[in-house]
Amino acid sequence: MIEKLHIQFEAMNSLRTIHVYLPPFYHESQERYPVIYMYDGHNLFHDENATYGYSWHMEEFLDQYDKPFIVVGIECPHEGNQRLEEYCPYDVENSFLGTIHGYGQLFMDFVVEVVKPYIDNHYRTIPFRECTMIGGSSMGGLMSLYTIIAYNQYFSKAACLSSSIGICMDALTNEMNQHDLNVDTRVYLSWGSEESRNKRGLAYASMHNLEISHLLNQKHIMTYPYLQVNGRHSEQSWQQQIPIFMDYLWKSK
């Protein structure tokens, strides 16, 4: 079951639409549930809400999965360049994307200071970081990686799919050096073999993800770097990875 609500993002003077998945029989039980927060929430559940007409179909997966969760999909702004700015923690000059004045840190303060307390107060969650995950794809994947590094006191798991880490690799590396991470942290990093325009692009994506994995491993953080053969930069490819990152982040020891 999906519920939709709106929460005011005061710093940007705008509303954020939140798509909340509740497990079957939620209203018939008193059970509390771990929570998965995800970016681009409109792309997660229903095709009619998805940007390109195809969603991750995550509701169907979770309804059949053997472990119940609450999923909080935070919808991005759709006007102009705002999604890029909201899902980037730094100011970036990029030859392809142009100038990005990132306010990702401001957005994440909103997530942990406003959205998460609202969810914990209005739904039967298990609010501890050990039972809280962050996830996203593309710029949302970049934000998921930034979140697990800079806001590790709130999140213990991250699914970072097709992450746009190449646009700010140096800043991410510096960010990682500034934070001590809990050793129970787990990070799933993926990229698709067909996402890049050529072999050079694939080599860069592989290099960046493996470098991030190595840096996290040096901090004693477990990672799962995954090259999706024939994977593209699309909801269809990310949907196929749901059972992989869910099993890794929530079941593996």
Side-chain angles (χ1 to χ4, degrees):
M1 179 177 64
I2 308 298
E3 296 186 353
K4 189 180 292 188
L5 54 99
H6 304 279
I7 298 180
Q8 183 73 19
F9 185 1
E10 294 287 355
M12 299 303 293
N13 192 29
S14 61
L15 287 174
R16 287 294 172 270
T17 301
I18 313 294
H19 304 252
V20 182
Y21 165 86
L22 299 175
F25 309 112
Y26 173 87
H27 292 294
E28 287 74 42
S29 77
Q30 293 302 313
E31 186 176 352
R32 291 188 170 272
Y33 301 93
V35 184
I36 300 172
Y37 290 84
M38 296 193 73
Y39 304 115
D40 292 314
H42 56 292
N43 289 333
L44 297 178
F45 304 115
H46 298 149
D47 291 350
E48 59 267 27
N49 295 325
T51 302
Y52 300 108
Y54 190 92
S55 72
W56 292 37
H57 292 267
M58 201 166 186
E59 182 177 16
E60 290 93 326
F61 172 83
L62 290 168
D63 281 349
Q64 302 301 320
Y65 198 52
D66 60 1
K67 190 174 178 65
F69 297 89
I70 292 173
V71 177
V72 180
I74 307 170
E75 187 164 337
C76 69
H78 300 285
E79 299 78 22
N81 217 34
Q82 287 187 39
R83 178 179 178 272
L84 294 179
E85 294 174 343
E86 186 152 293
Y87 286 177
C88 190
Y90 316 106
D91 289 339
V92 169
E93 290 284 348
N94 181 268
S95 58
F96 180 70
L97 297 174
T99 301
I100 302 174
H101 298 294
Y103 58 89
Q105 180 178 347
L106 191 65
F107 171 66
M108 278 313 303
D109 288 343
F110 162 69
V111 171
V112 300
E113 294 172 7
V114 179
V115 177
K116 187 178 188 301
Y118 181 94
I119 296 297
D120 289 337
N121 287 331
H122 288 80
Y123 296 94
R124 294 194 313 276
T125 69
I126 305 175
F128 313 118
R129 68 173 294 279
E130 294 81 3
C131 294
T132 309
M133 170 189 147
I134 192 74
S137 59
S138 192
M139 291 296 290
L142 166 62
M143 274 301 291
S144 298
L145 182 58
Y146 167 75
T147 299
I148 201 67
I149 296 168
Y151 293 80
N152 192 254
Q153 69 268 39
Y154 299 100
F155 302 91
S156 63
K157 303 166 180 64
C160 312
L161 287 73
S162 302
S163 307
S164 303
I165 54 181
I167 67 172
C168 53
M169 191 67 186
D170 290 341
L172 275 174
T173 301
N174 291 335
E175 189 81 52
M176 214 175 303
N177 291 333
Q178 295 174 25
H179 296 277
D180 293 324
L181 307 184
N182 289 275
V183 294
D184 67 341
T185 302
R186 294 187 179 198
V187 180
Y188 173 90
L189 302 159
S190 77
W191 63 106
S193 66
E194 304 305 311
E195 289 189 67
S196 304
R197 298 179 180 179
N198 49 46
K199 291 182 179 179
R200 182 179 181 183
L202 174 58
Y204 273 114
S206 301
M207 177 181 67
H208 290 147
N209 279 280
L210 292 174
E211 182 176 351
I212 291 292
S213 177
H214 174 68
L215 292 171
L216 288 169
N217 292 161
Q218 286 186 319
K219 288 179 170 286
H220 308 290
I221 303 305
M222 293 179 61
T223 63
Y224 187 150
Y226 176 69
L227 171 61
Q228 185 182 28
V229 177
N230 298 321
R232 298 184 180 278
H233 205 79
S234 69
E235 275 68 32
Q236 288 91 334
S237 290
W238 300 326
Q239 176 194 10
Q240 293 169 10
Q241 297 180 53
I242 295 174
I244 303 173
F245 69 70
M246 288 294 289
D247 283 356
Y248 171 68
L249 295 174
W250 292 102
K251 291 184 177 180
S252 59
K253 302 268 181 168

